[in-house]
């Protein structure tokens, strides 16, 4: 067995070991991620139910363009 073949075998074994480790860790973490996702979904649903509904404004109560500033400032000469 040549040196190159030994190096290739070590790299292949390391790659298989890392891939297996990542698959196992991903499988272990999956239920926890699912529970967190479900919790966030429930929080968002609660927020939608708690939104404030505003009543429409009665006609004529909104200030018009002139009534926004009832007193205009006038310049007074000294």
């Amino acid at each position: 067995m040549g040196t190159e073949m030994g190096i290739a075998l070590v790299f292949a074994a390391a790659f298989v070991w890392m891939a297996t480790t990542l698959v196992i860790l991903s499988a272990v973490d999956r239920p926890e991620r699912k529970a967190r996702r479900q919790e966030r979904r429930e929080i968002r649903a609660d927020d939608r139910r708690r939104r404030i509904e505003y009543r429409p404004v009665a006609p004529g109560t909104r200030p018009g363009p002139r009534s926004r500033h009832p007193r205009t400032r006038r310049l007074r000469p000294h």
Side-chain angles (χ1 to χ4, degrees), residues 40-50:
R40 282 193 303 259
R41 197 175 297 137
E42 288 170 0
I43 289 172
R44 270 187 258 123
D46 287 345
D47 286 347
R48 273 189 230 121
R49 277 186 247 135
R50 274 190 274 151

Side-chain angles (χ1 to χ4, degrees), residues 10-28 30:
V10 168
F11 277 128
F15 177 76
V16 169
W17 179 79
M18 285 189 57
T20 306
T21 303
L22 289 175
V23 166
I24 291 170
L25 288 176
S26 176
V28 167
R30 191 170 292 135

Side-chain angles (χ1 to χ4, degrees), residues 26-41:
S26 176
V28 167
D29 191 41
R30 191 170 292 135
E32 185 180 333
R33 279 185 289 155
K34 186 177 178 182
R36 268 188 268 139
R37 207 176 316 126
Q38 181 67 28
E39 184 180 337
R40 282 193 303 259
R41 197 175 297 137

